[in-house]
Amino acid sequence: MQQTTTLTFEKPSFSRRLHGMLGVDFYRLFHTPLYYIFLAVAAIIPAMILGTSGMENPQTGVAAAPLYTNVWHIIAAETPTYVVSSIAEYANMNMVFIFGGIMVSIFIGHDYKSGYVKQLFTTHPKKQDYMIAKILTCAFAMACMCLTYLLGAVAAGLLTGLSLSVDVGSLVCAILGKMIMSLGWAALYTFLNIIFRKFFGVSIASSFFFGTGLPIIAAAALLGNNAILNLFLYGSSVFACLSSGVTTLLVCLACSVVWAVIYTLLGTAILNKSDVY
């Protein structure tokens, strides 16, 4: 009597699928010069700002007033400021999210240019996994850019002799708040790159535009420093300031997670209903 054996294949769980995709993405991230270039750019930004602040005007021979007197002001503003009245209020760690958006565009754009997406979705059809893996990988990269920005700011501040006085607890909350916001920003940039996946230049331009926070700055010009602006990515990024506390961290975490979920669902819907190649 001949026996027949039926083979059954167990579908991999969500955690196993995500672990595999994250492994690939982090391997690619750590083995591309792009990641390290942007880490260096983030460290150089505060050094350039502090180094050129207060320089003498070659035409008048008069030195301009320095933008900062305290090194931590290049990390975050003293209080949440949505209506920017000077470059000093704008030029802080939030600039990481501008350059981070460009990095995300290049990182994801390479998936489509190299044909990696076509190969991936042939063997791994779960579009949601792709969105989540890209968001987490890019959020990690931008959080690391925040750290190198911090190191560059401290080094430049020590060299220029700026004051280091600060409430340490508020400073830590401000830095952690901005790092937490990396998740929401990464989700936004991933979503934008899914929309403009066939137009690499447009995806970079859109990431730069939204990274500057211009839509929120325009809204703030009409609404003023309204607490409702904390519900948005740029608003919560500004909310992480040198007067931050535990409440600030909770607001940043809630905002970042909510927007990450929203953009993940929207991006997944687009990938499921359209040609991804």
Side-chain angles (χ1 to χ4, degrees):
M1 183 175 182
Q2 187 176 5
Q3 294 182 343
T4 58
T5 303
T6 303
L7 297 178
T8 59
F9 296 93
E10 183 181 355
K11 292 184 178 180
S13 64
F14 167 75
S15 60
R16 186 175 179 181
R17 297 195 313 267
L18 185 60
H19 181 270
M21 294 194 71
L22 284 174
V24 173
D25 279 341
F26 274 106
Y27 179 87
R28 293 175 59 230
L29 181 69
F30 293 141
H31 287 79
T32 177
L34 171 70
Y35 172 60
Y36 302 99
I37 290 172
F38 275 91
L39 288 180
V41 168
I44 292 171
I45 291 172
M48 290 182 60
I49 295 174
L50 291 180
T52 57
S53 175
M55 290 184 62
E56 181 179 292
N57 188 322
Q59 296 180 343
T60 62
V62 179
L67 291 175
Y68 306 95
T69 57
N70 188 302
V71 65
W72 306 117
H73 289 164
I74 202 168
I75 301 296
E78 284 284 355
T79 57
T81 306
Y82 306 105
V83 182
V84 179
S85 59
S86 70
I87 188 63
E89 296 174 347
Y90 184 82
N92 55 43
M93 192 179 281
N94 289 338
M95 291 190 295
V96 166
F97 302 127
I98 301 176
F99 292 94
I102 298 174
M103 182 200 69
V104 173
S105 293
I106 297 174
F107 186 65
I108 296 179
H110 184 263
D111 286 356
Y112 290 90
K113 284 191 172 183
S114 65
Y116 169 72
V117 167
K118 183 176 182 179
Q119 177 185 1
L120 175 66
F121 288 136
T122 300
T123 58
H124 194 110
K126 297 289 186 180
K127 310 300 190 302
Q128 177 179 291
D129 297 350
Y130 176 83
M131 287 291 300
I132 295 175
K134 281 294 180 289
I135 290 171
L136 293 178
T137 305
C138 294
F140 170 84
M142 280 195 284
C144 290
M145 288 176 65
C146 288
L147 290 178
T148 58
Y149 181 98
L150 173 63
L151 294 176
V154 172
L158 292 173
L159 292 174
T160 54
L162 295 181
S163 171
L164 292 172
S165 62
V166 71
D167 182 310
V168 177
S170 294
L171 174 64
V172 171
C173 287
I175 294 171
L176 290 178
K178 292 184 184 298
M179 292 179 67
I180 288 171
M181 292 308 303
S182 295
L183 176 65
W185 283 106
L188 169 62
Y189 294 137
T190 302
F191 173 65
L192 291 174
N193 280 273
I194 293 301
I195 295 176
F196 301 115
R197 60 192 178 278
K198 296 182 180 180
F199 308 97
F200 182 61
V202 177
S203 68
I204 291 181
S206 65
S207 295
F208 179 83
F209 173 76
F210 283 98
T212 60
L214 289 177
I216 298 301
I217 292 176
L222 299 175
L223 300 175
N225 289 335
N226 197 310
I228 196 172
L229 294 173
N230 292 332
L231 298 175
F232 298 92
L233 291 176
Y234 187 82
S236 290
S237 299
V238 171
F239 190 52
C241 60
L242 296 180
S243 57
S244 297
V246 176
T247 301
T248 304
L249 292 181
L250 295 177
V251 170
C252 289
L253 179 62
C255 177
S256 199
V257 170
V258 167
W259 283 105
V261 171
I262 291 173
Y263 289 129
T264 297
L265 294 175
L266 291 176
T268 301
I270 291 175
L271 289 175
N272 284 332
K273 294 181 179 181
S274 59
D275 177 15
V276 298
Y277 307 130

